Structure formats: structure tokens, C-alpha cells
Amino acid sequence: MARDQNGYAVHYKENMRRTFLLLLVSSGFFPTLPSSGKTKNKNPYDERRLLEQNKRIQRENNAPEDFPSFVREGFQVNVVTSENYVKRDSGLIYRDYEVGKGDCPKDGQQVTFHYVGYNESGRRIDSTYLQGSPAKIRMGTKGLVPGFEEGILDMRPGGKRRIIIPPELGPPVGPSTFFSAKQFEVFDVELLSIQNCERRTIVGFYSDVVCN
């Protein structure tokens, strides 16, 4: 895909043909997004029914193992996961499958990574693996949606992580962006490498950034 340091890497702006990128209700589970409006008391049977329905849809969509479930009732959305997931104060949820080694990326550095993007039903929307080449973006240039950048900011090369991005940390929404309002985005990310970057001046007035 075309990559501009000022455009989204997982994003509508760089390539409109692509639809993605680059977003405990009981023991062992937790809710991620509190209600901002009035909701009725939940019936445990109804919640179990919704969970079973979500899992059935995910199986039909060939969702990966341990994919989260999104239970909606009124204005409330509960993200139901296994206890292996971590929730941050920002609302971001993640699970590390491999931690990796080395330093975490810093602003100005370029990260090279593979990702697979999913919607709430577990349907795969985009994948750099299928495209045949990883994505590259410089950190701190607003080239990624906020939740995605936060999700990889403390990863290390070789690390593999699932990131669940809440709507408030997701991309702009609307008909021209391919993203629906109030939807969570799920990404499986593999951080391949981190490169230092420097700006060089050519012919006295033209400059670019080189990363290696």
C-alpha cells in the first residue's frame, strides 16, 4: 500500500480500496466500556444467549481462537474476554502472545509490522500477510489511529499481541472512512523491527526522511 508519513497506515486515506488498517461480567471476564446512558438490569439468561449467539457468528466467520465477544444492551457494551487480557485506564485491551526482545519504539522511529484486522463479529477485514508485505510507519507522526499506536508503543521486536481498540481510541468514522460509529476494532499485530530515522537535505532545499 502507498505509505505517507502523514497518512494512516491502517487507514482509508492512503488506499481507499482497503477497509482497514490501521481500532469481568463473571469470573474470569471483565467489561471494558461503561454505560453512558440508562440500561435495564440484565437477565443472566439473556446475556448467556447473546454470548452464545456471538460465538456462533464468530465460528461462521472463522474468527481466531480466544476472540473477544461484544455484548450490547441499550447504550452499554461489555467486552467479554478470557482472564489473559489486560485492560488499561484508556479503555484499550490487549493480550500478549509473545513478548519479543529489545527496546520499545520511540517517537520518530519507524516500525515494521504485520497485522490482521477484524470487526466485532470476528470477520477478517484486512491482512498484511495476505497482501504479501508488512506495514511501515513512523511513530509519533499521527500515522496510526490512537488506539493502534498505543497498543504497539510498548511492544518489542518479535512480539505478538492482540489489541482491542474502543471507539474513543479508534479512527474517524463516517461513510467515507469505511469505519462505523461506536464499533470496537480488533487487531492481531506482529512487530517485526524498529528503525532509526533521520532527515537529510538534498540540493539545498529538498529534504526527506530515511529510516534504516
Side-chain angles (χ1 to χ4, degrees), residues 184-200:
F184 285 75
E185 316 292 345
V186 181
F187 292 95
D188 285 344
V189 184
E190 178 183 5
L191 182 60
L192 300 177
S193 62
I194 302 171
Q195 296 85 34
N196 291 319
C197 301
E198 61 179 6
R199 183 171 293 278
R200 63 180 182 179

Side-chain angles (χ1 to χ4, degrees), residues 1-3 8-10 14-15 18 21 115 131 133 135-136:
M1 74 183 189
R3 296 181 181 87
Y8 282 102
V10 181
E14 297 176 319
N15 191 333
R18 300 174 57 188
L21 194 115
Y115 68 86
Q131 295 165 13
S133 62
K136 296 182 179 182

Side-chain angles (χ1 to χ4, degrees), residues 5 105-112 136-141 193-201 208-212:
Q5 65 180 24
K106 300 178 179 63
D107 284 355
Q109 291 183 318
Q110 177 176 270
V111 290
T112 302
K136 296 182 179 182
I137 196 69
R138 288 179 63 208
M139 301 293 287
T141 61
S193 62
I194 302 171
Q195 296 85 34
N196 291 319
C197 301
E198 61 179 6
R199 183 171 293 278
R200 63 180 182 179
T201 301
D208 63 1
V209 175
V210 178
C211 304
N212 50 47

Side-chain angles (χ1 to χ4, degrees), residues 24-171:
L24 289 169
V25 296
S26 60
S27 176
F29 297 89
F30 57 86
T32 53
L33 187 62
S35 173
S36 58
K38 296 180 179 179
T39 59
K40 61 182 180 180
N41 293 330
K42 290 184 178 180
N43 183 318
Y45 173 79
D46 290 339
E47 187 162 279
R48 287 197 300 270
R49 178 179 55 81
L50 290 172
L51 284 172
E52 291 171 358
Q53 179 180 351
N54 285 351
K55 291 303 182 182
R56 176 181 57 78
I57 294 174
Q58 290 174 11
R59 288 192 297 270
E60 293 173 353
N61 288 332
N62 295 315
E65 183 180 355
D66 196 28
F67 197 81
S69 289
F70 301 88
V71 180
R72 297 176 177 272
E73 184 175 357
F75 295 107
Q76 182 167 330
V77 182
N78 285 342
V79 182
V80 182
T81 72
S82 69
E83 59 185 4
N84 298 315
Y85 285 78
V86 176
K87 178 189 175 184
R88 293 181 175 167
D89 291 341
S90 65
L92 188 81
I93 304 170
Y94 70 93
R95 176 184 175 182
D96 282 321
Y97 292 90
E98 294 184 22
V99 174
K101 297 180 180 179
D103 296 328
C104 300
K106 300 178 179 63
D107 284 355
Q109 291 183 318
Q110 177 176 270
V111 290
T112 302
F113 57 93
H114 274 299
Y115 68 86
V116 183
Y118 305 90
N119 62 17
E120 290 185 2
S121 66
R123 183 166 62 89
R124 185 176 62 205
I125 302 299
D126 195 12
S127 170
T128 55
Y129 295 104
L130 293 180
Q131 295 165 13
S133 62
K136 296 182 179 182
I137 196 69
R138 288 179 63 208
M139 301 293 287
T141 61
K142 297 183 179 180
L144 295 168
V145 298
F148 197 101
E149 183 153 345
E150 179 184 340
I152 65 175
L153 192 59
D154 60 347
M155 291 184 68
R156 304 175 188 277
K160 296 181 180 180
R161 171 178 288 186
R162 176 167 296 155
I163 302 171
I164 305 173
I165 303 176
E168 59 269 25
L169 296 178

